[in-house]
Amino acid sequence: MLPGRSQSGGDPIHKIRHVVIIMQENRSFDTYFGTFPGADGIPMKNGVPTVCVNDPQTNTCVRPYHDANDRNRGGPHSAKAAVAVINGGKMDGFIEVAQRGKRACRNPDAPDCAGGTDVMGYHDGRDLQNYWRYARDYVLQDKMFEPNASWSLPQHLFMVSAWSAYCKRIGDPMSCVNELQDPDYPPDFRARRNPHFRSPEPGRPDYAWTDITYLLHAHHVSWAYYVMAGTEPDCANDQADCGPVQQKAKTPGIWNPLPFFDTVKRDGELGNIRDLRDFYAAAANGTLPSVVWICPAGPYSEHPPGLVSRGQAYVTGLINTIMRGRDWNSTAIFLTWDDWGGFYDHVPPPRVDENGYGLRVPGIVISPYARRGFIDHQTLSHDAYLKFIEDDFLGGARIDPRTNGRPDNRPTVRENVSILGDLRRDFDFTQKPRAPEILPGAIFWDGETAK
């Protein structure tokens, strides 16, 4: 029996009336929690890592090391880079891929250019006091894999739809085919001189397949996707310094793909994509929608070259706001990072279909019903968030082309794959709701700056 399941048959998951997914950027599990006590972290003996990765430039093997620098470089994180760093399960291509990315930079000294041995650095509780506090006091997931072995846009498509695809015919879900690296790019990529960018025809980009908001709308479940206005750094290829562009709630982009889903437009729900300032107000006054995603801007995302400390302070501000608000006692917060960002991780990802999983990323569960000090060793991916939402609000309905009334050609119903764990194990619904833990160092975004 899952922890907290009622003997009478009622599912206590429904004590959660608000699911908040906070998606940060570009960190592997080992680079943030590789030395966290009890977790499947960096293999050690007598406090010294027993693993290392070859540096082709010096022909030496570099061990993971504590890196207290607030600004990290990381490395390429495309589908091609994922294959190279995993290297058939050897997990030894990280430095070579980062060095190759650095050579591709127009300016190797630019802060948004890839690093080298920087990818072997890890942070610990000295650098990540609040993140480690959340992990100690709530739930840390040490087998959370990104759902796709690729970069930010495919991941954000997976986050809301469990698929990344390219649709050959506009508006036709059955014309959509797997596209792990080059889905239909949003308009912001037209400014980046991206060699992979397809010359758009009218009506593109077009995400014609089914996303979770289609089911939420059909079941009258409220949702919102909150976007912080600002810059949006990332590249679709292995060139690390393609340069930032602007994003906001009304500007669809790689971190804000929902405006280009046909379902969102046809259901008249474009207004659910909102400015982040609206989140602070809703969390404070008890009007959070049932399902919430939160998208940062570049400087607060932890995506290199963003500062680790700034991202942590911004996330702390989001969580403090929820904890102080009227909805805390019925909320589950899922904090995670979208991909590995080039940083080292020692665990080979399992393969579930031709699209993933990708590399391991941190995952934390924060809720008044979260188990205290629990490390979840289940195999998970961001698909588990969709599964939890569906079980909580949709009666277990899945984004399944055979049953949801909207066929498409996705290869797998990701929420149903046998390897995927159940997030309900991270909760104890029999416990009295826990009091908030308001942590120091928070910053709050006012529309222009975070303070």
Side-chain angles (χ1 to χ4, degrees), residues 12 36 145 147 161 244:
F36 191 87
F145 297 89
S161 75

Side-chain angles (χ1 to χ4, degrees), residues 5 65 73 85 105 113 145 147 164 167 201 254 293-294 299 310 319 355 369 373 384 412 438:
R5 183 174 289 279
Y65 64 94
R73 294 289 189 94
V85 300
C105 291
C113 178
F145 297 89
S164 174
C167 303
E201 61 181 296
I254 59 174
W293 296 271
I294 302 179
R310 185 179 295 166
I319 295 172
N355 294 315
Y369 294 104
T412 312
I438 305 300

Side-chain angles (χ1 to χ4, degrees), residues 27 70-71 298-303 305-312:
R27 303 287 163 168
D70 202 12
R71 190 187 306 278
Y300 306 94
S301 70
E302 295 157 68
H303 188 301
L307 299 179
V308 172
S309 62
R310 185 179 295 166
Q312 181 178 234

Side-chain angles (χ1 to χ4, degrees), residues 218-269:
H219 288 76
H220 308 289
V221 177
S222 61
W223 63 271
Y225 192 104
Y226 293 103
V227 179
M228 177 192 273
T231 59
E232 175 198 78
D234 207 346
C235 305
N237 57 11
D238 283 344
Q239 183 172 322
D241 61 344
C242 57
V245 296
Q246 295 297 308
Q247 71 169 19
K248 56 184 178 180
K250 304 305 179 185
T251 307
I254 59 174
W255 293 349
N256 181 22
L258 278 174
F260 285 119
F261 273 90
D262 290 357
T263 54
V264 177
K265 292 181 285 189
R266 292 175 185 175
D267 290 341
E269 297 204 307

Side-chain angles (χ1 to χ4, degrees), residues 73 102-103 105-111 113-114 241:
R73 294 289 189 94
K102 192 174 184 68
R103 291 195 297 269
C105 291
R106 292 183 293 263
N107 176 10
D109 296 323
C113 178
D241 61 344

Side-chain angles (χ1 to χ4, degrees), residues 25-40:
E25 295 288 320
N26 288 50
R27 303 287 163 168
S28 71
F29 184 87
D30 277 345
T31 200
Y32 267 12
F33 292 99
T35 59
F36 191 87
D40 182 2

